[in-house]
Amino acid sequence: MPARIDVLLRELAVTLRGLRRDRTFTLVSVALLALGIGLTSAVVSLLWRIAYAQLPIPDPSHLYTLNTRVGTPTYRYLAAHLGAGPKLIARHDERVNIETAEGSRHLDADFVSGNYFGALGVRPVLGRAVEPSDDSRSGRQFVAVLAYGFWQQAFGGQISALGAPVRINGVPFRVIGIAPPHFTGLIAARNPQLYLPVAAFPALNPGWDAFNKWSVHWLDIFVRTPPNLPVASAEAQWAPVYRDAVRQELANEGPQSQQYLRKLRHEKLSLTPAQQGVHWMLSGWKNPLRVLLWMALSVLLLVTINVAGLAVVRSVKQRHEMLIRYAVGASRAAVVRLYFAQTMALALLAGLAAILVARWGAKALVYLGGLHLHGTALPVGLGASALGLHWAAAIIAGLLAGMLPAWHAARMSLAGGLSEGATTHSASRSHTRSRRILAAAQIALSLVLLIAAGLFAQALYKLVSVPLGFNPRHLMLFSVDPKISGATAQSATTLFQRIDQRVRSTPGVANVSYGTSGPFPQAVNTAVVIPTTPDAKSKHQRGFRSFIGPGYFRTLGIPMAAGREFNQRDRANTPGVVIIDQTMAKKLYGDANPIGKTVTIGVTPKRLATIVGVVADYNISWTRAHSPLLYTPVSQASGLQEMTFYVRTAPNVQLSARDIRELIQHEAPETPAFDIGSMGASTAGFASGQRAMALLTGAFAGLALLIALVGIYGVIAYSASLRTVEFGVRVAVGAEPRHIRALILREAGWILLGGLILAVPLAFFGLQTIRTQMFAVSIDRIGVYIAATALVIGCTLLAALIPARRATRMNVQAALRHE
């Protein structure tokens, strides 16, 4: 065994000396492999974290989430009646304002049940966690657990933070613990900075009185099942308890819409695996990242093919050396090991460099895809699993790159090799054939990637060219939260009006209004509209709801189809009013005029309202709004809402974030502005995923084409150099330069034809994977195929033209003496 190791070490030393001598080959090969491996690892790392990484808690496989949100009474009922086996956990997230000795910050908080940390098995690094006794509205001082990162930022990592008093939305709290650094809650890729008891939520939201209402479903429920209980058995055992909770809700709540009652009666207990947490990016980014992974693997395969081609060329130059090794007694296995050692050394060196490429690539993916927005905390480094796949990719690439030169070395004939010239065309015929096949494969792969890039570009164009139905140009937006200053519902309305007047009086401002969610309502903010007249076409409709201020639609540029907007006469002590969109009007009343009709808004509290306006339909987040919309005045809202202001400026006026902060600071110093930006950037953010896919597929396709052209150029140029003597003889007997050029271009043509033929099955099967990622664009776009093919043909002929022109300008006498 020691002798065997000594032989392997000597072979490795020989390999490294050879790579050091041929520095150009080494540097080019390492750079190509590092690029391919790094890009693949970048995509793999994000895909792993989004689609496969589990929560950093003990035994996450027994964590499940309930299929629906529930109210506080339902959660308490289930927790009391499910028994001691399962551990029921509740949570809710909201942005809050925290005041510490270092200043005021607006950040994300998770409201958690008292058993949250204990049931998950998460231990604070300092202090203690929220306990059941803390999750009570008994009048004790509320407590808070800080996230590790926030503790480092706001308190400098000092132990003195424990027991420190802080004010959250004006309410006093006491810090009792610091969460571990690896734990970021149960919503994957989200990064809450505080963990507060659920019982503290009403205190931080003055005017919100739904804490004890069964029908207000606001809590996310997670269940930690016993280790020996299958999920199907758990659902069967706990279904009766859940049905009893539903009956309790039906008995304790007032009249509801028939749709709500029907849904509630047929609702069943369903547990969804949550070992990865609840992931908002999973549905939107899992498939796109898989597409990008296939593209990255294609680029990796291209660079591996290119390195294999370079290694084949190098093996031709090393032919005499290998023959001499055979002559002095080297075995074929030893020579084959030298070639594999060569490519494996290159791959391992490239793997080290690819770690940096992977990190930069992952950051680019996060930025281009907009994954850094919306409070997302997505690490971009290579974790243990991704790092293992990274080195696996490097090793596989090294093995693949070494296969072809090793195969040629194994087939080498000692007697025939010594009797013929190592640089003759006949001696390297098999090498030339191999390089041609590799070049054709590169053409095929780059063509498929170009077609994919063209399809994504068309999808993006169609996506962003969809008319939104409102005017995002010259429209600034910012948000304020009245809860920060401890405002009541009435004082919050006055605050919004003061800010409105202050901004409106600014030179260059054409119009101002405000609303809870703007033109992008959230699915969680819904309400049921129940007509009170028997002539309604539909008995009820559910739709997205927004609270808005006067002049809202005029400010956003959304036309009114009928009736009027809200105005200053629509106050808290006046009859309720509502505006609906054309979709809801059509579903409720058909072709009849809905203006003046009375409806019941089926939310808590229920309220009669008169329809005073119908607003034109518009598109939400670049796609058609499939759900009806309704709007109620901010002044008639029952609780406090975070409000977004919309500022329409003149075309030649640009308000900066600093200008807006100074305006709000002057009018309401206790309520700072945040999330300041332009409507154009906000609307573009909804297409960030598709834009990222178009940009990234285009980048991958361009990179693939460039790599393929380098490979084609290398094959044609080296093949032409082997035929130097032949070309010299042809010119000497009267051949014209165009004949030499035709010979070289003919070879390129055969390579190109082989690549196009190979691309047909690759395109057929490969493009099926991206069909679901297209936005209203079919993959059967003949124009894209023609354009991509024409580009590949043109670039291939251009790559072949350079060695062809060089061959026609050769010195005949020098060519005839060429060896």
Side-chain angles (χ1 to χ4, degrees):
M1 182 62 71
R4 182 68 173 170
I5 295 176
D6 183 63
V7 170
L8 293 176
L9 290 176
R10 289 181 181 179
E11 290 177 352
L12 179 61
V14 170
T15 300
L16 294 177
R17 283 199 300 269
L19 293 177
R20 187 174 58 187
R21 285 196 305 268
D22 198 347
R23 294 179 182 176
T24 302
F25 167 77
T26 302
L27 291 175
V28 171
S29 299
V30 168
L32 286 173
L33 287 172
L35 185 62
I37 296 169
L39 290 177
T40 303
S41 297
V43 179
V44 166
S45 66
L46 289 185
L47 180 61
W48 182 269
R49 292 187 184 278
I50 289 176
Y52 303 107
Q54 296 189 339
L55 290 171
I57 61 175
D59 198 11
S61 60
H62 291 285
L63 186 67
Y64 296 85
T65 182
L66 210 62
N67 60 316
T68 182
R69 287 182 171 181
V70 303
T72 315
T74 303
Y75 163 68
R76 290 174 175 171
Y77 185 92
L78 292 174
H81 291 82
L82 285 182
K87 299 176 181 178
L88 215 61
I89 306 165
R91 69 158 298 280
H92 177 78
D93 56 81
E94 185 162 300
R95 303 178 78 178
V96 299
N97 186 74
I98 181 171
E99 301 171 42
T100 66
E102 287 73 22
S104 176
R105 301 166 186 254
H106 201 71
L107 42 77
D108 294 322
D110 270 10
F111 292 84
V112 301
S113 55
N115 66 337
Y116 179 85
F117 289 95
L120 294 177
V122 176
R123 298 178 178 274
V125 293
L126 285 175
R128 65 175 180 87
V130 175
E131 298 175 350
S133 59
D134 299 313
D135 191 19
S136 168
R137 304 178 68 185
S138 61
R140 298 176 51 185
Q141 184 184 30
F142 292 121
V143 298
V145 172
L146 306 182
Y148 188 89
F150 179 63
W151 172 56
Q152 294 287 332
Q153 295 170 9
F155 295 91
Q158 298 295 319
I159 299 179
S160 59
L162 289 180
V166 295
R167 297 185 69 84
I168 303 175
N169 288 5
V171 178
F173 279 72
R174 180 171 55 87
V175 177
I176 60 169
I178 311 299
H182 61 273
F183 183 71
T184 56
L186 297 180
I187 307 300
R190 190 176 177 273
N191 191 18
Q193 304 298 297
L194 294 169
Y195 299 92
L196 311 174
V198 166
F201 188 80
L204 302 185
N205 292 269
W208 188 78
D209 59 352
F211 189 81
N212 292 318
K213 293 186 181 295
W214 289 77
S215 60
V216 180
H217 300 171
W218 66 292
L219 291 175
D220 299 313
I221 303 300
F222 291 82
V223 183
R224 170 81 86 167
T225 61
N228 56 350
L229 183 63
V231 63
S233 301
E235 289 177 341
Q237 290 181 21
W238 303 337
V241 179
Y242 185 73
R243 298 301 309 156
D244 289 341
V246 170
R247 283 191 285 269
Q248 290 287 333
E249 179 172 343
L250 292 172
N252 284 277
E253 289 298 312
Q256 298 284 348
S257 70
Q258 291 300 316
Q259 182 187 28
Y260 172 81
L261 295 175
R262 192 181 307 113
K263 175 180 179 295
L264 201 59
R265 290 192 187 100
H266 291 85
E267 200 168 67
K268 296 180 180 180
L269 177 70
S270 177
L271 299 178
T272 303
Q275 63 265 31
Q276 298 173 244
V278 176
H279 215 315
W280 69 267
M281 289 188 296
L282 189 59
S283 59
W285 271 98
K286 185 176 181 179
N287 288 332
L289 281 174
R290 282 177 173 172
V291 172
L292 289 178
L293 179 59
W294 281 110
M295 293 185 172
L297 288 172
S298 299
V299 172
L300 178 57
L301 182 57
L302 277 170
V303 300
T304 304
I305 290 172
N306 224 317
V307 172
L310 292 173
V312 169
V313 171
R314 189 168 184 264
S315 70
V316 175
K317 297 179 179 180
Q318 293 177 315
R319 183 177 176 84
H320 276 306
E321 177 188 340
M322 294 300 111
L323 289 171
I324 293 172
R325 287 182 181 275
Y326 281 135
V328 298
S331 66
R332 293 188 183 274
V335 173
V336 167
R337 282 200 305 270
L338 282 177
Y339 281 104
F340 276 116
Q342 167 187 284
T343 54
M344 287 301 300
L346 293 173
L348 294 177
L349 288 173
L352 292 173
I355 293 177
L356 291 177
V357 178
R359 184 172 181 82
W360 295 334
K363 285 183 177 180
L365 285 170
V366 168
Y367 179 79
L368 290 174
L371 302 181
H372 62 298
L373 304 174
H374 313 299
T376 302
L378 194 65
V380 294
L382 293 179
S385 300
L387 195 60
L389 293 173
H390 173 89
W391 287 112
I395 292 171
I396 292 172
L399 291 174
L400 290 177
M403 288 178 65
L404 199 56
W407 179 70
H408 282 298
R411 293 176 66 244
M412 195 178 295
S413 169
L414 177 60
L418 292 175
S419 64
E420 62 186 17
T423 60
T424 64
H425 190 269
S426 60
S428 57
R429 185 173 299 161
S430 63
H431 295 77
T432 303
R433 188 185 309 115
S434 300
R435 293 196 303 275
R436 288 173 178 172
I437 294 173
L438 293 178
Q442 293 184 71
I443 289 176
L445 282 172
S446 60
L447 177 57
V448 174
L449 290 181
L450 278 174
I451 293 172
L455 291 173
F456 273 107
Q458 282 210 351
L460 177 63
Y461 174 76
K462 195 153 190 176
L463 183 75
V464 299
S465 62
V466 171
L468 293 174
F470 64 93
N471 182 11
R473 292 179 298 176
H474 311 298
L475 194 62
M476 292 288 294
L477 53 88
F478 63 90
S479 298
V480 295
D481 191 349
K483 298 189 295 294
I484 292 175
S485 58
T488 62
Q490 183 176 1
S491 63
T493 301
T494 304
L495 171 67
F496 300 147
Q497 292 172 351
R498 291 203 331 262
I499 294 176
D500 182 295
Q501 293 299 323
R502 178 68 181 179
V503 177
R504 191 181 300 273
S505 62
T506 303
V509 173
N511 227 321
V512 181
S513 191
Y514 45 93
T516 52
S517 52
F520 313 110
Q522 302 298 315
V524 296
N525 194 7
T526 59
V528 177
V529 179
I530 307 171
T532 59
T533 53
D535 60 339
K537 180 181 178 181
S538 176
K539 300 304 180 184
H540 60 269
Q541 280 297 322
R542 180 177 292 273
F544 294 148
R545 180 185 61 154
S546 293
F547 294 100
I548 61 174
Y552 174 85
F553 300 110
R554 183 173 64 255
T555 301
L556 267 67
I558 305 173
M560 296 294 298
R564 66 172 178 86
E565 285 204 56
F566 299 139
N567 53 44
Q568 300 297 338
R569 298 193 302 272
D570 301 315
R571 298 186 298 274
N573 56 352
T574 60
V577 291
V578 65
I579 294 174
I580 60 177
D581 71 343
Q582 289 176 314
T583 299
M584 179 169 282
K586 187 76 173 177
K587 291 185 175 184
L588 286 176
Y589 299 102
D591 295 328
N593 183 10
I595 302 300
K597 303 285 187 180
T598 303
V599 295
T600 298
I601 308 297
V603 294
T604 303
K606 294 179 178 61
R607 179 169 187 162
L608 287 175
T610 301
I611 299 175
V612 297
V614 177
V615 67
D617 289 338
Y618 61 89
N619 293 319
I620 298 176
S621 66
W622 302 100
T623 58
R624 185 64 188 167
H626 297 292
S627 180
L629 306 175
L630 65 145
Y631 304 86
T632 52
V634 169
S635 56
Q636 294 182 354
S638 58
L640 292 178
Q641 301 281 342
E642 180 182 301
M643 203 62 57
T644 300
F645 279 76
Y646 304 89
V647 185
R648 174 79 62 187
T649 63
N652 59 344
V653 175
Q654 180 68 39
L655 285 180
S656 67
R658 180 178 179 181
D659 295 333
I660 291 176
R661 286 194 182 94
E662 290 178 351
L663 286 172
I664 306 307
Q665 178 70 21
H666 186 275
E667 187 62 41
E670 72 285 357
T671 310
F674 56 92
D675 289 347
I676 303 172
S678 68
M679 178 60 78
S682 297
T683 52
F686 284 93
S688 59
Q690 291 83 356
R691 180 177 286 105
M693 287 297 295
L695 290 173
L696 291 170
T697 52
F700 280 133
L703 181 61
L705 182 60
L706 180 61
I707 293 171
L709 293 179
V710 171
I712 294 167
Y713 170 80
V715 168
I716 301 300
Y718 190 74
S719 178
S721 69
L722 293 177
R723 301 175 68 181
T724 301
V725 175
E726 175 194 345
F727 293 155
V729 172
R730 286 178 180 272
V731 173
V733 298
E736 296 182 6
R738 59 188 176 86
H739 296 139
I740 305 300
R741 190 161 46 244
L743 287 173
I744 296 177
L745 292 179
R746 184 188 305 165
E747 180 180 6
W750 283 113
I751 295 174
L752 178 60
L753 180 61
L756 295 180
I757 293 173
L758 182 59
V760 173
L762 287 178
F764 178 78
F765 292 106
L767 295 179
Q768 299 299 321
T769 62
I770 68 171
R771 183 188 293 272
T772 58
Q773 303 304 314
M774 299 290 102
F775 177 81
V777 173
S778 169
I779 65 172
D780 304 323
R781 308 289 292 188
I782 301 301
V784 173
Y785 290 81
I786 293 175
T789 304
L791 180 60
V792 168
I793 292 174
C795 291
T796 301
L797 294 178
L798 182 62
L801 191 61
I802 299 174
R805 287 173 58 86
R806 184 182 300 152
T808 58
R809 297 177 179 178
M810 64 181 172
N811 185 303
V812 177
Q813 294 181 352
L816 293 175
R817 292 194 301 268
H818 177 75
E819 293 184 355

